[in-house]
Amino acid sequence: MTADVAADALSRTQLSRTLAAIEAGAAAADREGRDLEPEIGRLREVGVFTACLPTAEGGSGLGLGRDPQTTLMAFDLLLRLGRASLPVARLLEGHIDAVKLVTLHGDPGQIAEMAAVVRAGGLLGVWGADDQPSLSAAPSAAGDAPRHLRLTGAKRFASGLGLVTRAVVTFRMEQETSTRLALLPVADPRRHRRQDWRAAGMRATASGRHDFTGLEVGEGVLLGGPGDYQRPPHFDGGIWRYCAAHLGGAQALIEVWRRRLDARRRLDDPFQLARLARAVGLVQAAVSRLEVVALAVEAAGADTSVSAARIDAAVTDALLARQLVEEVCVEVLRLSEAALGTDAHMADQPAERLRRDLSLFIRQA
């Protein structure tokens, strides 16, 4: 794919307008406790969801790592979306991750089915956090043809309840020790428990508990084999995607911090400028480092002949970058609180919402 073709897949003008509209509605989505369907609809309309599909399925391969240009596009999109709305960025990152996992581990039929869901407007997700009991599967009644599986357990921190139509979930087969993957339908509202989301941050993600107990599915939902999910470099290396969103959130916090200081005529205070400059410099350095890591991880994952040493190096760099991003975001949070004082904690100030969302999001495992 050439850069021109990739750029055409997502019109910069349309995307900029979409991101501006998402940013404008971020406070209301947090305050009113509504879901993000309007924001998701905007991304759907400009072709973001379908752009994530493989080119053979009518997409642009956005975030699939098969072309450096599309990796850079995905990086830039997640960074910008993190600036506009961390909850929306969380949902899009999950969609990109889900498409990538199905493309990596699914057979041609599964990939085609997933692509059809996305082209029809479906939002995908990845739900990995187990509740009690953890999600497991066992064969249903003997003699079934084709064989079916009966699920037991639930997922917690399931983002996008009511918005995500299918999710890639982690689970264990009965009498197996390795983690497996399945692409499951998750649109049934009777299985949702949004009230279980009690965190102060990321309210608009419509997160909560999804109970799979009693659901019966065919073996066709299984993606790959035991242990494929942890195959390097994709499992640990792919953390660059949500780290890009984290840094976008840090940039948003810095901008509202700067505006508040300007409104209070304190922007020329040397101590305030020193804090602001430190925050800007740290985030810019982290963005530059993370972009290099993203390219290295995706290049290692796309090259079937790459050495184990190169894969290990890419994964190590990704983990170190994850640590760097967390430390930078923590420092930006600290500096913003020192600079804004009580304003950083006032519910009518945008900095308060951004602080809540960012401080929670960076704790994603």
Side-chain angles (χ1 to χ4, degrees), residues 10-297:
L10 293 173
S11 164
R12 285 193 171 274
T13 300
Q14 283 186 313
L15 187 57
S16 294
R17 290 172 181 166
T18 296
L19 293 175
I22 289 173
E23 182 177 2
D30 175 80
R31 183 175 58 250
E32 297 167 7
R34 63 169 175 81
D35 66 31
L36 294 169
E37 178 53 44
E39 289 78 3
I40 294 303
R42 290 180 183 277
L43 292 175
R44 185 184 294 118
E45 287 171 8
V46 297
V48 170
F49 296 161
T50 53
C52 301
L53 295 174
T55 54
E57 294 294 342
S60 303
L62 184 72
L64 294 184
R66 296 175 179 177
D67 181 278
Q69 184 65 31
T70 57
T71 297
L72 292 174
M73 285 181 63
F75 184 96
D76 180 66
L77 177 58
L78 290 167
L79 184 70
R80 295 173 67 192
L81 196 52
R83 286 200 298 267
S85 166
L86 282 172
V88 178
R90 170 69 187 92
L91 296 185
L92 179 63
E93 191 278 328
H95 179 82
I96 293 173
D97 193 12
V99 172
K100 188 176 182 71
L101 287 170
V102 176
T103 304
L104 281 171
H105 305 302
D107 60 36
Q110 290 173 318
I111 294 171
E113 182 181 357
M114 174 273 296
V117 169
V118 174
R119 287 194 298 269
L123 173 68
L124 308 184
V126 178
W127 296 348
D130 279 314
D131 203 347
Q132 295 298 325
S134 59
L135 188 60
S136 62
S140 58
D144 283 354
R147 192 170 75 143
H148 282 66
L149 302 173
R150 176 178 286 272
L151 303 179
T152 302
K155 289 293 179 181
R156 62 199 296 253
F157 305 153
S159 294
L161 292 176
L163 297 173
V164 172
T165 55
R166 296 199 189 188
V168 176
V169 302
T170 54
F171 73 102
R172 297 273 176 93
M173 288 286 288
E174 187 180 61
Q175 298 181 340
E176 287 185 355
T177 58
S178 297
T179 300
R180 299 192 66 154
L181 293 174
L183 180 63
L184 300 177
V186 294
D188 186 350
R190 295 170 299 178
R191 296 182 176 275
H192 299 167
R193 289 185 59 87
R194 286 182 59 174
Q195 62 268 33
D196 286 357
W197 183 250
R198 300 185 181 93
M202 303 293 278
R203 292 171 179 167
T205 56
S207 297
R209 183 176 187 268
H210 184 96
D211 189 358
F212 289 94
T213 299
L215 180 67
E216 291 202 13
V217 293
E219 284 195 312
V221 302
L222 301 180
L223 298 172
D228 281 352
Y229 180 44
Q230 287 92 356
R231 185 192 306 166
H234 305 292
F235 178 63
D236 286 325
I239 58 181
W240 68 261
R241 288 186 297 273
Y242 65 72
C243 285
H246 295 170
L247 291 174
Q251 290 177 335
L253 178 57
I254 291 170
E255 178 58 20
V256 300
W257 159 15
R258 185 196 66 77
R259 291 176 184 172
R260 185 59 177 164
L261 290 181
D262 192 29
R264 295 168 63 188
R265 299 183 180 180
R266 298 187 63 195
L267 202 52
D268 59 350
D269 182 291
F271 294 101
Q272 295 286 21
L273 283 175
R275 292 188 185 109
L276 196 61
R278 174 168 170 75
V280 170
L282 286 172
V283 172
Q284 287 182 346
V287 168
S288 296
R289 179 58 189 154
L290 187 63
E291 186 177 74
V292 171
V293 168
L295 288 168
V297 166

Side-chain angles (χ1 to χ4, degrees), residues 292-342:
V292 171
V293 168
L295 288 168
V297 166
E298 298 305 325
D303 186 354
T304 57
S305 64
V306 70
S307 68
R310 184 179 164 194
I311 289 176
D312 287 345
V315 169
T316 298
D317 284 348
L319 294 171
L320 291 172
R322 163 72 174 88
Q323 181 68 24
L324 171 65
V325 169
E326 180 183 337
E327 291 174 357
V328 165
C329 289
V330 167
E331 180 67 356
V332 169
L333 288 163
R334 185 190 72 81
L335 290 167
S336 70
E337 292 179 4
L340 296 174
T342 56

